[in-house]
Amino acid sequence: MNHVLCGLASNAALPSELVDRLIEVADADVAADLARREDLSRAQAVALASRVEESAAWLAYEGRLTTADIDPTAQPHAALALLCEHVDSPEWARLLAKDPVCEHRERLAACSGLPSDVVETLAADADVRVVAELALWTTSSVAGRLAGHPHAEVRRAAAANEATPPPILAALLTSEGLPPAQQCLVCDREETPFVRDPRCPRNECDLLPGDSCDGAHQSAVHETQQMALQNPATPTDAVIPFVNHPSPLLRWALAARHDLPSEVYGRLAKDPHAGVRADLAENPAIEDALIRTLASDRGHDVQRRLAHNPRVPLDVLIRLAGTTKIGATLLPRIAAASPAEVEELAQSPEAAARMLVAQRRDLPARIRGALATDPDAKVVKSIASHPGLSEAQLRAMVDRHGVRVIAKVAANPDATPALLEDLTRHEPPVQNAFREIARHRNATGPALHNCLADRRARPLAASHPALPPQVIMELLANPDWRVVEAAAANPSLPLAAMSALVPQL
């Protein structure tokens, strides 16, 4: 891969005539970057698609190409991209439905609005992957018919399709009313009975550990049930009996559903598998009493997921914040808090409550200012990147809390050039701060020069337009390919240097 040319291909300042020259020499990597240029003309898009067929699909998805620009035989990826974008071209669909490349037919099967004769051709395809893809995306009537397909893989796909009729989805859970499946991916490949050993040394085998078939296609049936249980179109009455199923994966599939009776949620809250309880904890359909019960659950990830439930009561959320690693994120319940609740949280004696509300970026100036002077470093760290803070407020944070808040201060969109320069010289240095400064719009040449000393910040600094041109050109010889590509993409790279870097035919 030529990283200089890849960087140049995405350089927003690259003149049109140099774009033309890059198209003439582009390989697949360079073409991928060229195809994403916002200033690419239609003529350039057509030329690029003609040179590198892989880029044609992206250009088609982005609306840069039309049916008049594409030969479906020579550029099937682009033709499929347009068909998937609902371009009406029945002849293309008929042509691709008979394409000898299975992957092309499989991709076509995922397109909506196909002519009925094309759908029938795909439904009768000899490769089960094509039929399964059709079953996953097709209309209600076709999905209902394919749910009784002889191959279990097609049934599994139909079980995941939300357009499949609800009575058929219920039947897929029990197999009642459907003809028995005759094949599955396991017995297609292996003599039965067979169970895939988790330590199987065969690298070419794409079966999952534990996949099995003794003629009843156990693994495929289990996966079909899992898909149907996760499908919101499956009737509630049909899924409830699985709350006592011995498979934790099937019980797990129930935990995120929004349509179950409260007593079923209560049973899931006592499930021995922590993953089931964790998914349940984040489910907005569970009631207040169950939320409070799960708040005491020390199972893996249960309390953290509960904190992300949009219906969690504030008092519960505050307790969770004090004992659970939630991370620097705006929780849904905090985002939905009323002005009165925001005021209450900001004045709470609990630092955890103040820290949560400090994650909002729409706080009134009075509350924002009060949180900026909070004695707790975790609260200040949460508010430090809030827009609207003055340079004096940001410097005061650094003076009081030092390395604990510097990276967040550096991420503040209103941090001044002088402040950013000072932060790069802070002792001891804060590595995360270098990365924030290297991408900051107000970073200066001196600040970026200091960021170049940090390995992880270097590629970011190399792409910053405030970096001096001479330094950018020096970075083109850096041993790190990410730095080279970033420097070549820097819009401040001199035009003469750009021209010298693009080969001429």
Side-chain angles (χ1 to χ4, degrees):
M1 181 185 296
N2 189 320
H3 295 291
V4 170
L5 295 187
C6 285
L8 283 173
S10 60
N11 192 316
L14 192 71
S16 181
E17 58 270 20
L18 292 185
V19 173
D20 289 335
R21 279 169 50 185
L22 267 184
I23 290 173
E24 293 175 356
V25 300
D27 58 13
D29 297 312
V30 174
D33 289 304
L34 285 170
R36 288 164 173 77
R37 291 187 64 88
E38 294 183 0
D39 61 350
L40 203 67
S41 70
R42 183 172 179 276
Q44 288 172 328
V46 172
L48 182 60
S50 298
R51 175 170 177 80
V52 182
E53 202 270 327
E54 294 91 335
S55 68
W58 176 266
L59 292 166
Y61 273 126
E62 292 296 298
R64 303 292 186 89
L65 299 175
T66 67
T67 54
D69 304 317
I70 294 172
D71 176 353
T73 302
Q75 299 168 303
H77 294 290
L80 286 163
L82 286 180
L83 287 170
C84 287
E85 290 297 297
H86 314 300
V87 172
D88 185 20
S89 184
E91 292 309 314
W92 281 12
R94 293 184 180 101
L95 176 68
L96 290 164
K98 298 177 181 178
D99 193 299
V101 179
C102 174
E103 287 73 16
H104 296 167
R105 305 194 308 277
E106 188 177 0
R107 178 91 175 279
L108 178 66
C111 299
S112 61
L114 295 173
S116 58
D117 60 309
V118 172
V119 172
E120 293 305 317
T121 299
L122 295 171
D125 199 283
D127 195 303
V128 68
R129 292 174 294 176
V130 176
V131 187
E133 193 70 13
L134 180 66
L136 181 61
W137 301 106
T138 192
T139 59
S140 176
S141 60
V142 178
R145 177 158 52 92
L146 291 176
H149 194 276
H151 203 291
E153 186 68 8
V154 178
R155 299 182 182 212
R156 186 198 65 80
N161 188 340
E162 293 185 23
T164 301
I168 300 295
L169 290 170
L172 286 167
L173 283 173
T174 61
S175 298
E176 294 178 6
L178 296 175
Q182 298 173 17
Q183 296 171 268
C184 71
L185 294 180
V186 177
C187 59
D188 280 349
R189 296 169 171 83
E190 307 289 344
E191 290 187 13
T192 58
F194 176 83
V195 178
R196 169 76 193 279
D197 189 333
R199 295 164 295 185
C200 178
R202 295 179 298 168
N203 294 328
E204 74 281 0
C205 181
D206 58 359
L207 294 176
L208 297 177
D211 277 356
S212 62
C213 179
D214 63 1
H217 321 296
Q218 297 96 310
S219 296
V221 169
H222 185 273
E223 290 176 8
T224 298
Q225 291 173 324
Q226 188 176 0
M227 294 299 102
L229 291 170
Q230 291 172 339
N231 192 328
T234 305
T236 305
D237 290 345
V239 307
I240 289 175
F242 285 82
V243 71
N244 294 319
H245 198 280
S247 168
L249 289 177
L250 298 189
R251 303 194 306 274
W252 203 335
L254 289 176
R257 290 187 67 101
H258 296 174
D259 59 346
L260 302 180
S262 57
E263 57 268 23
V264 174
Y265 289 131
R267 289 160 76 175
L268 290 171
K270 299 175 183 177
D271 196 281
H273 196 292
V276 175
R277 306 196 307 276
D279 269 20
L280 180 68
E282 197 169 357
N283 189 334
I286 63 175
E287 297 176 351
D288 184 87
L290 193 54
I291 289 176
R292 294 182 181 278
T293 297
L294 289 169
S296 302
D297 190 324
R298 303 293 293 177
H300 174 68
D301 215 29
V302 174
Q303 293 180 329
R304 188 191 69 81
R305 297 283 294 279
L306 185 64
H308 287 263
N309 190 313
R311 292 187 57 194
V312 61
L314 284 180
D315 63 304
V316 173
L317 183 55
I318 291 169
R319 291 203 310 273
L320 291 172
T323 59
T324 308
K325 290 185 178 180
I326 295 173
T329 184
L330 177 61
L331 297 174
R333 180 63 182 87
I334 299 300
S338 67
E341 289 173 329
V342 168
E343 185 82 33
E344 179 185 351
L345 288 164
Q347 295 180 5
S348 172
E350 298 291 336
R354 304 194 303 274
M355 179 180 66
L356 289 175
V357 78
Q359 289 292 342
R360 286 184 58 145
R361 294 296 174 258
D362 60 349
L363 297 173
R366 177 179 55 80
I367 293 178
R368 181 183 65 215
L371 293 172
T373 60
D374 198 280
D376 193 293
K378 294 190 296 295
V379 177
V380 176
K381 185 177 179 181
S382 295
I383 198 70
S385 56
H386 195 299
L389 292 168
S390 68
E391 179 176 3
Q393 288 174 309
L394 294 173
R395 287 187 181 276
M397 292 178 185
V398 175
D399 290 342
R400 286 196 308 273
H401 302 289
V403 296
R404 290 176 291 180
V405 302
I406 284 178
K408 293 298 184 180
V409 169
N412 191 293
D414 299 320
T416 64
L419 173 58
L420 294 174
E421 286 187 27
D422 288 345
L423 293 179
T424 64
R425 294 190 289 265
H426 188 274
E427 290 294 338
V430 178
Q431 305 306 316
N432 289 347
F434 287 124
R435 293 192 286 280
E436 296 294 348
I437 295 166
R439 62 168 66 96
H440 201 290
R441 64 186 180 187
N442 293 335
T444 62
L448 293 167
H449 185 272
N450 293 338
C451 290
L452 290 173
D454 181 78
R455 177 181 59 83
R456 295 175 64 185
R458 198 174 300 133
L460 297 169
S463 67
H464 200 292
L467 199 66
Q470 183 57 42
V471 176
I472 298 172
M473 290 190 289
E474 292 171 0
L475 291 174
L476 292 171
N478 195 276
D480 186 335
W481 68 266
R482 297 170 302 168
V483 175
V484 172
E485 203 163 296
N490 194 317
S492 294
L493 183 67
L495 177 58
M498 293 183 191
S499 183
L501 291 169
V502 179
Q504 287 184 313
L505 294 180

